[in-house]
Amino acid sequence: MSFSVSQLKYILVLGNLAEAGNVRISDIAKTLNIKRSSAFNMLNKLAEADVIVKNENKTVEFTKKGRDIAEKLNERVKEASDKLTDCFDLTPDKAEEYALLLISVTGDIA
């Protein structure tokens, strides 16, 4: 399965926030600086792809598949970002953005 850049960004953010346990949907929206309704819609798509489970208390958590994808994504983004920064002198934010784009195009995650 391939993921869009937006989906990959959610997975990356959720992976960072999930270190403390279940993540509130409002925290994801706040981190991404978007409306909760937008986060809710994207999280529905990730739930349909069996990446996350939405809980009744308005939190989400990774499935086993989702944890595996998040770990692999984190490694790939770091690797690609470092190379992009070294080769093109990009800021870390831009390098991450381009890394997510490359990963989404190549489908090199799932």
Side-chain angles (χ1 to χ4, degrees), residues 10 25 29 32 34-44:
Y10 273 77
I25 295 172
L32 291 170
I34 58 172
K35 295 179 182 178
R36 280 194 326 233
S37 60
S38 296
F40 187 82
N41 290 334
M42 180 60 78
L43 293 170
N44 281 339

Side-chain angles (χ1 to χ4, degrees), residues 8-70:
L8 293 174
K9 191 176 285 191
Y10 273 77
I11 293 168
L12 198 60
V13 165
L14 185 56
N16 292 333
L17 294 174
E19 292 175 5
N22 293 355
V23 180
R24 294 183 324 185
I25 295 172
S26 60
D27 290 337
I28 296 168
K30 186 176 184 178
T31 301
L32 291 170
N33 197 28
I34 58 172
K35 295 179 182 178
R36 280 194 326 233
S37 60
S38 296
F40 187 82
N41 290 334
M42 180 60 78
L43 293 170
N44 281 339
K45 292 178 184 177
L46 292 175
E48 289 171 11
D50 194 34
V51 173
I52 63 160
V53 173
K54 292 174 70 177
N55 301 315
E56 290 182 18
N57 63 354
K58 297 183 181 176
T59 63
V60 296
E61 60 186 298
F62 281 123
T63 61
K64 167 77 170 99
K65 174 183 171 183
R67 266 191 307 280
D68 293 344
I69 290 170

Side-chain angles (χ1 to χ4, degrees), residues 90-105:
L90 297 173
T91 64
D93 288 345
K94 275 294 178 197
E96 182 178 290
E97 184 180 327
Y98 290 139
L100 288 172
L101 178 61
L102 290 169
I103 291 166
S104 94
V105 168

